[in-house]
Amino acid sequence: MISIEEMATFCKKKGIAFLTSEIYGGFSGFYDFGPMGVELKNNIKAELWKSFVQGRDDVVGMDGATITHPKVWEASGHTASFMDAMVGCDRCREKFRADTLIEDAVQISADGLSVEQLENLIVKHKIHCPKCKGPLSMGQQFNLMFNTQVGPAGAVQAYLRPETAQLIFTAFKNIVDIARVKLPFGIAQAGKAYRNEISPRDFLFRTREFEQFEIEYFTHPKKTECPCFKEVADMKVQILTESKKDLASHTIKDLVENKVFKSKWHAYWVASFYRWFLEHGIKPENLRLREHTKDELAHYAKACFDIEYKFPFGWKEIHGDADRSTFDLDQHMKVSKKDLRLFDEETKEKVVPHVAAEPSQGIERAMLAFLFDAYEDDKERGNIVLKLHPSISPVKVAVFPLVSNKPGLLAMAEEIHRELRKEFNSTYDRSGSIGRRYARQDEIGTPFCITIDFDSLEDKSVTVRHRDSTKQERIKKEDLIGYIKKKL
Ligand code: GAP
């Protein structure tokens, strides 16, 4: 596997992603996405939306504001608790996030530890500044929310949302009234989130502006049956449980029976996203679940599982899923004084719905995992091949006239490209040798290249070349769209 720095260089070269405002020296933690990156990102979001919103009867979508009433964050606990401990170098004055600094230095998990525990670990392991080797001093807790002033007089202090989730709770009543949903049901949202990370790093992995796709899945607090559970019961996953002794392969059914998962709904949603990654091309050996320890559970969570990917810089979280119980709705009822309970027709009582699962997917982290998994340096071909799942490939099909000085060939190729473009993201390329044109498409993961040659003018057929196998097939022009649709 290539390093994260090599991946960043590759992504810049291919127009996937690069540091923002480079002409002004860049702006740490913020990235721009180029022509290929925006397609890849949109495809990932579209696949998530298709799988978990449009493809289901029990999940509806929404899109909330990114700056909201400051009370939202007071109620959710973010104003008081969304903190990271900082550590500073006494010599070069650089600031670091304490838990990740310790994790990097001594390869232990330090997530969720108190300031005192972090300080003890720094002293115990004699950890010094990773930049200049100077001595370190513990700094204060640092709130990760970006703040801003709203209104011309700057009268209202507000925050950019650090997660999309809270908007689902604050819009809960409106959505329930309009969408006429019945428990159990989910509300999903995809959009930007902002965190003033102390040390953004590892390219797209830890940034200050990113996108999330989140679902709050609400269940009746007393009715816990999960009719979908059978869909995932026999699925095998690699898991590191809270005891951390055991990276093993288990079925989801076993994990529920052994009480690793306390609820079938939680198990179902974690497994569904794990399966989604496999179905979209991630190699099983690079994926695992990790159960959060009691120490690292967020202030709102009763239980939490991460899906981790094996990056070149270690196993890291790409997806989190917490059982948030009734924490958020309780808090918003308390602070807003509004009744957010639902009426249960059967028992004739009002209940506070339980968030049995909160699948929370970072889009850039998913993108990075897909890129690493797909990247292959093919020595025989002499170029990189990005073996992305076709559903997320930025470009689906590239059309080449064999030579660029024969008007008949050009006209046919352009016509085919125009037709394909109505259905898929198609690109047209007439410059350079065919080999060079194949290589260009391999490097951005285009699954199909179509060449129009001299025979095409006679037999109205074209050559389709497959990215992964380089196998070529002759296909009738009128069958092309159906053929590619089927393959995709
Ligand atoms: N609502 C729950 C929540 O936000 P989280 O574990 O803090 O939970 C969920 O974040 C996901 O968001 C992570 O698994 C990751 O994919 C993504 N994420 C979080 N912080 C990020 C950052 N600084 N840069 C990129 N992605 C991030």
Side-chain angles (χ1 to χ4, degrees):
M1 211 180 243
I2 58 168
S3 68
I4 186 76
E5 292 78 17
E6 287 167 320
M7 179 55 84
T9 306
F10 171 77
C11 285
K12 183 175 171 193
K13 195 168 139 208
K14 292 288 144 198
I16 296 173
F18 33 82
L19 203 56
T20 193
S21 327
E22 263 192 7
I23 57 166
Y24 293 104
F27 203 45
S28 179
F30 299 93
Y31 284 85
D32 292 339
F33 295 84
M36 291 305 126
V38 68
E39 297 292 340
L40 178 55
K41 214 169 157 200
N42 284 344
N43 290 343
I44 293 171
K45 283 189 283 183
E47 283 297 298
L48 285 165
W49 202 260
K50 223 162 53 189
S51 304
F52 297 116
V53 186
Q54 294 171 340
R56 306 181 61 101
D57 292 323
D58 58 345
V59 179
V60 293
M62 68 162 285
D63 185 17
T66 57
I67 298 178
T68 53
H69 199 293
K71 286 267 184 208
V72 173
W73 309 107
E74 197 185 303
S76 69
H78 283 79
T79 315
S81 318
F82 198 54
M83 308 272 198
D84 273 340
M86 231 173 3
V87 66
C89 173
D90 298 341
R91 191 186 294 161
C92 71
R93 305 276 153 214
E94 187 75 35
K95 302 268 185 279
F96 304 94
R97 191 172 139 175
D99 56 355
T100 48
L101 178 112
I102 294 168
E103 283 170 11
D104 285 351
V106 289
Q107 277 77 50
I108 54 169
S109 169
D111 203 9
L113 298 185
S114 67
V115 173
E116 201 187 342
Q117 287 169 315
L118 293 166
E119 191 165 24
N120 288 343
L121 284 173
I122 289 174
V123 173
K124 179 176 161 198
H125 294 285
K126 299 189 178 58
I127 301 172
H128 284 85
C129 171
K131 280 212 162 155
C132 74
K133 304 278 170 267
L136 295 170
S137 297
M138 216 54 212
Q140 322 103 320
Q141 291 271 83
F142 177 78
N143 194 302
L144 297 187
M145 285 198 292
F146 279 107
N147 50 40
T148 185
Q149 274 75 44
V150 176
V156 181
Q157 156 88 24
Y159 299 98
L160 275 69
R161 64 182 185 193
E163 60 169 16
T164 60
Q166 286 311 314
L167 281 294
I168 296 176
F169 298 117
T170 54
F172 180 75
K173 193 158 170 22
N174 292 350
I175 293 174
V176 168
D177 289 348
I178 306 155
R180 298 160 57 90
V181 279
K182 286 217 158 45
L183 290 171
F185 69 88
I187 303 176
Q189 177 175 205
K192 294 268 188 185
Y194 304 85
R195 296 183 188 178
N196 196 3
E197 294 283 355
I198 299 167
S199 19
R201 61 194 193 149
D202 293 323
F203 183 40
L204 298 177
F205 184 80
R206 191 176 304 287
T207 56
R208 290 179 166 139
E209 175 178 338
F210 53 95
E211 287 195 67
Q212 291 184 317
F213 170 79
E214 298 197 296
I215 305 174
E216 300 303 323
Y217 200 79
F218 299 97
T219 59
H220 190 291
K222 291 190 193 132
K223 298 176 191 167
T224 55
E225 66 274 28
C226 170
C228 323
F229 185 73
K230 53 185 177 303
E231 289 171 30
V232 298
D234 296 323
M235 209 183 113
K236 275 202 155 180
V237 292
Q238 294 200 87
I239 182 163
L240 195 66
T241 53
E242 211 230 308
S243 66
K244 293 200 191 299
K245 286 184 202 111
D246 173 26
L247 175 62
S249 182
H250 291 285
T251 62
I252 296 292
K253 191 166 57 193
D254 286 346
L255 293 172
V256 169
E257 277 165 14
N258 293 317
K259 308 252 178 297
V260 175
F261 281 106
K262 308 293 182 294
S263 101
K264 280 189 176 173
W265 272 118
H266 199 188
Y268 165 75
W269 277 105
V270 172
S272 298
F273 273 77
Y274 194 101
R275 184 177 57 186
W276 184 87
F277 275 108
L278 297 177
E279 284 170 357
H280 286 79
I282 297 284
K283 298 178 191 84
E285 63 273 22
N286 290 337
L287 216 53
R288 75 176 189 189
L289 291 184
R290 191 179 69 79
E291 184 186 12
H292 277 214
T293 60
K294 300 272 172 297
D295 284 342
E296 69 182 306
L297 282 179
H299 61 276
Y300 51 74
K302 259 176 72 179
C304 187
F305 288 81
D306 288 343
I307 299 177
E308 296 189 330
Y309 180 77
K310 198 177 184 181
F311 287 106
F313 45 98
W315 285 101
K316 298 282 172 190
E317 172 191 346
I318 55 172
H319 174 103
D321 189 328
D323 173 341
R324 286 178 93 123
S325 68
T326 56
F327 176 86
D328 302 271
L329 289 180
D330 283 340
Q331 280 297 108
H332 287 297
M333 284 201 286
K334 201 159 97 194
V335 177
S336 70
K337 313 260 185 301
K338 299 281 182 321
D339 187 1
L340 304 177
R341 292 173 301 167
L342 297 185
F343 185 71
D344 180 356
E345 300 285 351
E346 214 176 83
T347 58
K348 306 287 179 224
E349 54 180 18
K350 280 187 162 185
V351 295
V352 182
H354 181 127
V355 173
E358 182 204 44
S360 179
Q361 182 57 58
I363 303 300
E364 288 80 357
R365 287 198 191 172
M367 183 167 166
L368 204 52
F370 283 127
L371 285 167
F372 272 110
D373 226 68
Y375 185 101
E376 272 184 36
D377 188 355
D378 190 320
K379 300 286 181 223
E380 227 170 89
R381 290 190 218 185
N383 60 262
I384 308 301
V385 187
L386 214 49
K387 294 187 171 172
L388 291 168
H389 191 277
S391 64
I392 59 168
S393 287
V395 176
K396 308 292 185 223
V397 53
V399 181
F400 313 147
L402 182 64
V403 292
S404 58
N405 56 358
K406 287 275 175 269
L409 277 192
L410 296 187
M412 185 171 173
E414 281 165 19
E415 186 207 325
I416 288 177
H417 167 55
R418 272 197 304 275
E419 283 308 306
L420 290 175
R421 201 162 56 181
K422 292 179 192 159
E423 300 285 336
F424 327 100
N425 193 14
S426 167
T427 189
Y428 177 74
D429 187 0
R430 50 181 275 193
S431 68
S433 69
I434 283 287
R436 186 61 218 126
R437 283 183 262 175
Y438 281 153
R440 249 181 245 143
Q441 297 305 321
D442 281 351
E443 295 195 340
I444 57 165
T446 308
F448 308 105
C449 290
I450 291 167
T451 305
I452 290 82
D453 56 24
F454 295 105
D455 290 340
S456 306
L457 296 175
E458 304 302 320
D459 65 6
K460 306 286 178 246
S461 295
V462 297
T463 304
V464 178
R465 180 257 199 187
H466 297 253
R467 176 195 67 199
D468 297 351
S469 61
T470 70
K471 214 179 93 200
Q472 302 196 354
E473 282 180 89
R474 209 65 193 158
I475 304 289
K476 283 259 172 246
K477 189 180 139 205
E478 71 259 27
D479 296 338
L480 253 184
I481 289 181
Y483 173 86
I484 295 171
K485 265 193 183 159
K486 203 165 147 204
K487 294 280 175 192
L488 285 173

